[in-house]
């Protein structure tokens, strides 16, 4: 059985923000129905215990999210979500009460990525309030600042300084530093990350040399059922097959999927999109 550490299942590619660090997608917009979610999730369950309900889009926008989480719980999934945090006041109760939810990651850099629309402190206080409530419910909550370096570093640093001051007030030091992030309080974490360029077929070719965890520890499934090798294939430029039409074993055993896997085993990117991915440079550090 082909085992994966996690699977990214996109329940919608619709978002309520337009962050400057996010490429968005030109694919048709839509929401995965509970019936189709059930079909895809049942096919994925033998291959992983961890289900990430995003790839593109804002998962908290999904109008039938309660039903999707119930289905995930029934299959024994541990669910992780990444959100921009703007809808947490409406969805906090659901996320904290669902037995399926394991971790919620909040992209605090979404505020800076939208040129500071609205007021920072009310937004931040809402995210902090959720983090505390989630921790009390036994959930993990990661506050992300994936905006280091790049052309917007100065603006990000100004925003980050304000965020850090508020976090210090909410979660007094000392904080515990770890290789995966900083523990602010039990079950509440601060995760730093570098800004990166999303892969794009129109971007510059960065050469074949490199490595990626796609097809090794994870895959992505778009809301229309298309399996892609990586959570960053936001346009579905490397379609490996439809999970509605084939089993995951057959899709991952296809010549294209094996060429990608074997290529990275030799430190070589087999696909045009992979050669234009800035994220894979992280694996060569």
């Amino acid at each position: 059985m082909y085992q994966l550490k996690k699977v990214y299942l996109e329940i919608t590619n619709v978002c309520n923000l337009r962050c400057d660090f996010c490429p968005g997608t030109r694919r048709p917009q839509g929401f995965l129905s509970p019936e189709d979610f059930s079909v895809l999730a049942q096919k994925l369950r033998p291959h992983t215990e961890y289900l990430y309900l995003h790839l593109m889009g804002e998962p908290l926008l999904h109008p039938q999210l309660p039903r999707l989480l119930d289905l995930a719980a029934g299959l024994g999934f541990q669910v992780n979500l990444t959100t921009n945090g703007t809808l947490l006041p409406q969805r906090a109760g659901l996320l904290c009460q669902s037995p399926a939810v394991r971790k919620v990651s909040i992209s605090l850099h979404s505020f800076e990525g939208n040129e500071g629309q609205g007021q920072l402190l009310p937004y931040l206080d809402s995210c902090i309030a959720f983090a505390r409530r989630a921790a009390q419910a036994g959930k993990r909550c990661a506050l992300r600042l994936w905006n280091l370096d790049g052309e917007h570093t100065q603006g990000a640093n100004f925003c980050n300084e304000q965020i850090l001051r508020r976090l210090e007030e909410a979660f007094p030091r000392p904080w515990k530093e770890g290789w995966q992030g900083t523990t602010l309080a039990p079950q509440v974490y601060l995760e730093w990350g570098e800004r990166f360029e999303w892969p794009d077929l129109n971007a510059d070719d960065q050469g074949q040399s490199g490595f990626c965890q796609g097809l090794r520890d994870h895959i992505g499934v778009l809301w229309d059922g298309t399996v892609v090798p990586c959570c960053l294939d936001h346009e579905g430029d490397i379609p490996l097959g439809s999970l509605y039409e084939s089993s995951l074993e057959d899709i991952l055993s296809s010549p294209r999927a094996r060429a990608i896997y074997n290529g990275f085993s030799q430190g070589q990117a087999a696909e045009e999109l992979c050669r234009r991915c800035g994220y894979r440079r992280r694996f060569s550090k």
Side-chain angles (χ1 to χ4, degrees), residues 60 81 83 85 87-97 101-106 123-143 171 187-188:
L60 300 191
L81 298 98
T83 172
L87 300 177
L88 285 173
Q90 298 96 305
R91 293 297 201 178
L94 169 65
L95 298 177
C96 292
Q97 293 167 15
V101 174
R102 168 183 174 268
K103 180 179 179 181
V104 177
S105 298
I106 307 172
Y123 162 77
L124 189 56
D125 286 345
S126 173
C127 294
I128 290 172
F130 171 79
R132 286 174 168 157
R133 182 175 177 180
Q136 292 175 353
K139 315 296 185 183
R140 300 183 184 187
C141 184
L143 306 172
F171 305 103
Q187 301 285 73
V188 181

Side-chain angles (χ1 to χ4, degrees), residues 46-104:
H47 305 278
T48 189
E49 181 182 354
Y50 297 95
L51 195 63
Y52 287 59
L53 299 187
H54 57 272
L55 198 146
M56 283 282 104
E58 168 54 57
L60 300 191
L61 274 176
H62 201 296
Q64 295 168 297
L65 183 60
R67 178 58 179 152
L68 302 189
L69 291 177
D70 285 346
L71 290 169
L75 290 170
F77 276 114
Q78 296 197 51
V79 169
N80 298 262
L81 298 98
T82 295
T83 172
N84 59 42
T86 58
L87 300 177
L88 285 173
Q90 298 96 305
R91 293 297 201 178
L94 169 65
L95 298 177
C96 292
Q97 293 167 15
S98 171
V101 174
R102 168 183 174 268
K103 180 179 179 181
V104 177

